[in-house]
Amino acid sequence: MDTLLKVLEDDATLTPEQLSVMLDKEVGEIRDMIKKYESDGVIVGYKTLIDWDKTDREYVTAMIEVKITPQRDRGFDRIAEKIYHYPEVQSVYLMSGGFDLCVLIEGRTMKEVAYFVAQKLAPIEYVVSTATHFVLRKYKDKGVIYGAPEIDERGNYV
């Protein structure tokens, strides 16, 4: 049921009781569907989006483009696996274009991110080159707008 997955993706805090009303299904059926999605690996986790800029936590996010030489019979998978096991790494994507992988990492400082790239990422066998981009501000992430301006009832920005 794609509708259930979309509703859960938008708000994972909804209870099976709320979902059953929204989707006109029995509570037990909703629970069974969620359990099956979890056991099949369709639902792989639940996360809370936090606007860290509104806290006193200091960190930087970087998007690192990585060009690699694919390996025979393994393509990009083995290198991606090696990269995603580092605790600093938040996401790894295979992509088209001038680079092969996009790696998102978090560190306390730009220097810490630079150290990760120079000492851990770049020396990996088959990594040809990297390009690091620092995120300066998040406007929208996973469909959620950060710090959206308030609009009054007339449609004017406050």
Side-chain angles (χ1 to χ4, degrees):
M1 172 185 263
D2 292 334
T3 306
L4 173 60
L5 292 173
K6 182 62 182 145
V7 172
L8 282 173
E9 183 179 46
D10 291 341
D11 186 356
T13 65
L14 293 169
T15 65
E17 291 76 17
Q18 291 169 315
L19 291 165
S20 71
V21 171
M22 293 171 68
L23 302 174
D24 194 29
K25 300 278 184 196
E26 295 294 323
V27 175
E29 183 181 356
I30 295 291
R31 282 193 177 107
D32 291 345
M33 292 169 71
I34 291 171
K35 192 178 297 182
K36 179 155 177 40
Y37 284 140
E38 290 170 345
S39 67
D40 290 348
V42 174
I43 295 176
V44 294
Y46 299 91
K47 293 278 189 175
T48 301
L49 286 178
I50 297 170
D51 188 348
W52 289 107
D53 290 341
K54 293 185 178 180
T55 71
D56 57 2
R57 176 178 174 233
E58 293 293 324
Y59 79 104
V60 294
T61 301
M63 302 168 103
I64 305 162
E65 296 172 311
V66 183
K67 184 178 291 233
I68 61 178
T69 303
Q71 294 183 283
R72 181 179 304 203
D73 300 329
R74 293 292 312 264
F76 302 101
D77 296 346
R78 187 172 156 277
I79 305 302
E81 183 178 343
K82 186 172 190 106
I83 293 169
Y84 69 60
H85 277 101
Y86 285 110
E88 302 92 333
V89 174
Q90 302 299 306
S91 302
V92 178
Y93 304 105
L94 179 63
M95 60 185 195
S96 62
F99 287 85
D100 303 304
L101 298 176
C102 178
V103 178
L104 280 83
I105 74 163
E106 289 185 352
R108 287 177 301 207
T109 64
M110 288 185 181
K111 186 175 183 176
E112 189 174 276
V113 170
Y115 177 85
F116 172 81
V117 173
Q119 300 298 314
K120 295 180 180 179
L121 187 59
I124 294 174
E125 187 176 11
Y126 303 107
V127 169
V128 176
S129 65
T130 65
T132 303
H133 309 275
F134 288 97
V135 175
L136 303 177
R137 180 176 179 190
K138 282 186 185 178
Y139 291 102
K140 186 175 183 178
D141 188 20
K142 295 180 179 55
V144 176
I145 297 172
Y146 284 63
E150 292 183 36
I151 300 175
D152 66 18
E153 14 340 296
R154 298 169 294 168
N156 298 321
Y157 290 103
V158 178

